[in-house]
Amino acid sequence: MSEFTGSTGPEGSAPSGFSFENVHRNAMIEQMQQQQSGAFHGLAGASASAGSSPGYLPMATKTGTTIVGLVYKDGVVLGADTRATGGSEVADKNCEKIHYLAPNIYCCGAGTAADTEKTTELISSQLELLRMNMGGTQSRVVTACTMLKRMLFRYQGQISAALVLGGVDATGPHVFQIYPHGSTGKLPYTTMGSGSLAAMSVFETGWTEGMSEAEAVDLVKRAILAGIFNDLGSGSNVDTCVIRTDGTTTLDRGAVQPNDVQPIRDSIRRSDILNMRPGTTAILKSEFTAAKRGGVT
């Protein structure tokens, strides 16, 4: 019960005022924050007792990604940025966030890179085994969604994988959003990640039912670019994946490269003194010994 929720009397009368049921919890959180601050600055917190361990204040996990998916007239279009961050630093400028699940199903991942990668790999292998057991029939998108949500729910959100699942099967094109705790939703278009709000504003403005493929791909690109330029955790390039009802799939890595630095690097004139030509370092001795068993060394 929130501290801003009123309590009702035994006779069912109107709320008498604020409820202070969480006052002790809030005081404990403030004390933990003070202990954590004191430990960070190398000082002993005034409220920390002697010999007590430094406090730890739980914080929400921050993900840096923009992933989207939408349904158009003849299939599904998925999109993602390519920036991978470690805290406030850019760890990878060309990270692949659109993962293969089946020939007709792909999945975008936001959250911890290792969790999204290994989760999609595991479900992809399970779908392959299921197709073999079913005589090679095409995988259903809802089957992949069920496998993913069951696995994530089993770990109660400890696997940091927020997913946008898209694919086409015998029942038509489908897009699902899957949260790390296992909750899912089937939507005509969806966004996830730290740049999802900027991308959703583009979708809500431009999405219409029965869009053509060119219009859908252009809308996905604009949505990802909105996340790239308005979210610090998203950046670099735009990847797109088009899954069509005729069975064809197009995965376009680097469909848009708004931050290409190669022209800037080419415009810089480096001194020729810094170039190490062949022969700069003298070779004093060279020796080749053949392997005794005929192998290559």
Side-chain angles (χ1 to χ4, degrees):
M1 194 172 183
S2 171
E3 50 265 71
F4 299 107
T5 303
S7 58
T8 305
E11 294 83 9
S13 58
S16 57
F18 291 107
S19 172
F20 297 96
E21 295 177 355
N22 291 327
V23 65
H24 297 293
R25 181 209 64 178
N26 297 340
M28 181 188 68
I29 291 177
E30 291 179 0
Q31 183 179 5
M32 292 168 64
Q33 190 173 15
Q34 292 174 2
Q35 292 179 9
Q36 186 179 17
S37 177
F40 177 76
H41 293 290
L43 304 173
S47 60
S49 60
S52 62
S53 59
Y56 173 72
L57 183 64
M59 298 182 67
T61 302
K62 298 179 181 179
T63 62
T65 289
T66 303
I67 54 175
V68 305
L70 64 80
V71 176
Y72 73 99
K73 181 176 60 175
D74 297 320
V76 168
V77 182
L78 302 176
D81 71 302
T82 61
R83 173 178 288 182
T85 56
S88 59
E89 300 175 353
V90 177
D92 188 356
K93 292 188 287 186
N94 195 24
C95 174
E96 187 171 3
K97 301 181 182 181
I98 302 179
H99 307 283
Y100 168 89
L101 287 185
N104 60 313
I105 305 172
Y106 281 78
C107 183
C108 301
T112 304
D115 288 349
T116 58
E117 184 76 25
K118 292 305 173 183
T119 298
T120 51
E121 282 184 6
L122 177 62
I123 300 304
S124 177
S125 65
Q126 292 182 3
L127 288 171
E128 176 69 22
L129 292 173
L130 182 60
R131 287 197 298 274
M132 295 170 65
N133 290 330
M134 297 294 290
T137 58
Q138 188 183 59
S139 297
R140 296 290 182 94
V141 184
V142 70
T143 303
C145 177
T146 302
M147 287 181 173
L148 287 166
K149 71 191 295 185
R150 285 178 177 176
M151 177 183 175
L152 294 175
F153 179 76
R154 188 184 309 128
Y155 288 92
Q156 293 291 295
Q158 298 299 319
I159 295 179
S160 178
L163 309 173
V164 172
L165 177 68
V168 177
D169 55 25
T171 61
H174 306 281
V175 167
F176 291 90
Q177 64 173 4
I178 307 173
Y179 287 91
H181 290 82
S183 59
T184 62
K186 186 177 185 299
L187 301 166
Y189 58 90
T190 185
T191 65
M192 297 197 79
S194 56
S196 60
L197 295 179
M200 181 57 75
S201 67
V202 175
F203 272 1
E204 290 183 340
T205 304
W207 186 88
T208 57
E209 192 172 358
M211 299 177 67
S212 65
E213 180 177 325
E215 293 172 337
V217 172
D218 179 69
L219 184 63
V220 166
K221 290 179 180 178
R222 289 195 289 114
I224 298 297
L225 288 173
I228 287 175
F229 289 113
N230 293 282
D231 172 44
L232 293 177
S234 306
S236 296
N237 307 328
V238 178
D239 291 348
T240 61
C241 180
V242 182
I243 309 171
R244 305 177 184 88
T245 53
D246 61 3
T248 60
T249 302
T250 302
L251 178 60
D252 191 359
R253 288 276 287 157
V256 182
Q257 300 182 8
N259 298 306
D260 188 13
V261 297
Q262 193 59 42
I264 301 176
R265 290 178 176 176
D266 294 339
S267 64
I268 298 175
R269 298 181 59 184
R270 298 174 67 250
S271 174
D272 194 58
I273 301 175
L274 301 177
N275 297 324
M276 305 296 289
R277 294 181 178 83
T280 302
T281 303
I283 301 175
L284 303 180
K285 182 179 179 181
S286 177
E287 182 180 354
F288 175 78
T289 302
K292 294 180 180 179
R293 296 184 180 181
V296 178
T297 60

